[in-house]
Amino acid sequence: MSLSHKLLSEKTGKPFTHCSICDSDLHGKLHFIEKAYHRNLGDHNHSVIFEYAICENCKRGMLQQVSAESLARMQAFMLEHQDEIDEMMHTTTDLEYCSFTGNSLDEMDEYHIVAVVQGDSTPMPPMIFGAAIMEVYQNLLSEKTKEFFDDFYDDFIDIPPELARILDKDFKPVFL
């Protein structure tokens, strides 16, 4: 089974090969991908505004930087949406709907895809966060956690300058 094109690197059109943080080889190893999409001005298509892949060790390190308050809120959010998550786990889509609202990505101006990847497969279905869910999720985070994600965003996320002007610089959603 091969990965959806939405989980491939935009730069190469192939699976991610190295961790965006430590540069370790990801081939055959469990890793995490996040890609953010935004609707192009003047047409109906979406383009990737940033993407990254993180190895399991770096992910573990990131989780240690998240405050206990934020972790508790994120876990409560996931429990609150357990029915939607269960349905998503049993539904096969080509990554075209928000995992929480069921809204089509065609209706959204922006969305994020978060996936766990090993080799050329996903051990669990990728999660898609539409803009409304991203805002709710962002509000779950403590100031300490937001500062950590701001630093991560500034250090590792490379947004083209023409898009950076369009995006709200105070809203930097990064998911775990």
Side-chain angles (χ1 to χ4, degrees):
M1 174 170 100
S2 62
L3 292 174
S4 165
H5 71 280
K6 288 188 176 180
L7 298 177
L8 302 176
S9 168
E10 286 297 303
K11 293 177 184 174
T12 67
K14 297 178 180 177
F16 290 88
T17 58
H18 290 86
C19 176
S20 299
I21 296 175
C22 72
D23 203 37
S24 66
D25 183 14
L26 297 175
H27 183 74
K29 297 178 184 168
L30 188 72
H31 59 283
F32 306 84
I33 294 172
E34 180 173 355
K35 293 179 76 170
Y37 288 82
H38 195 330
R39 185 176 311 284
N40 298 333
L41 297 176
D43 67 29
H44 195 65
N45 298 317
H46 291 93
S47 293
V48 172
I49 55 172
F50 70 79
E51 63 182 3
Y52 61 85
I54 300 177
C55 70
E56 196 170 8
N57 285 337
C58 288
K59 172 79 167 197
R60 205 172 301 120
M62 286 179 72
L63 279 173
Q64 291 174 353
Q65 300 299 315
V66 174
S67 71
E69 176 186 1
S70 293
L71 280 175
R73 288 178 182 169
M74 289 186 290
Q75 289 171 343
F77 176 83
M78 291 303 195
L79 284 174
E80 180 182 328
H81 292 279
Q82 192 63 49
D83 290 343
E84 294 97 326
I85 293 168
D86 287 345
E87 184 176 330
M88 174 196 64
M89 296 295 237
H90 296 96
T91 304
T92 303
T93 68
D94 191 28
L95 303 178
E96 297 300 327
Y97 301 93
C98 175
S99 300
F100 297 89
T101 65
N103 293 341
S104 170
L105 301 184
D106 289 336
E107 300 170 13
M108 298 179 199
D109 287 334
E110 61 184 282
Y111 62 92
H112 287 230
I113 297 176
V114 179
V116 178
V117 176
Q118 183 151 23
D120 63 353
S121 66
T122 53
M124 58 185 284
M127 295 181 82
I128 300 176
F129 294 79
I133 297 299
M134 288 189 301
E135 188 172 337
V136 168
Y137 199 84
Q138 189 76 4
N139 289 329
L140 300 174
L141 304 179
S142 69
E143 287 306 312
K144 176 186 177 223
T145 301
K146 286 179 184 179
E147 287 174 14
F148 166 73
F149 281 133
D150 283 349
D151 291 344
F152 172 82
Y153 189 92
D154 292 341
D155 292 343
F156 297 104
I157 306 294
D158 185 28
I159 293 182
E162 62 275 11
L163 289 175
R165 286 188 298 268
I166 296 169
L167 301 174
D168 179 355
K169 292 177 177 47
D170 293 331
F171 186 72
K172 299 176 181 177
V174 176
F175 298 96
L176 294 175

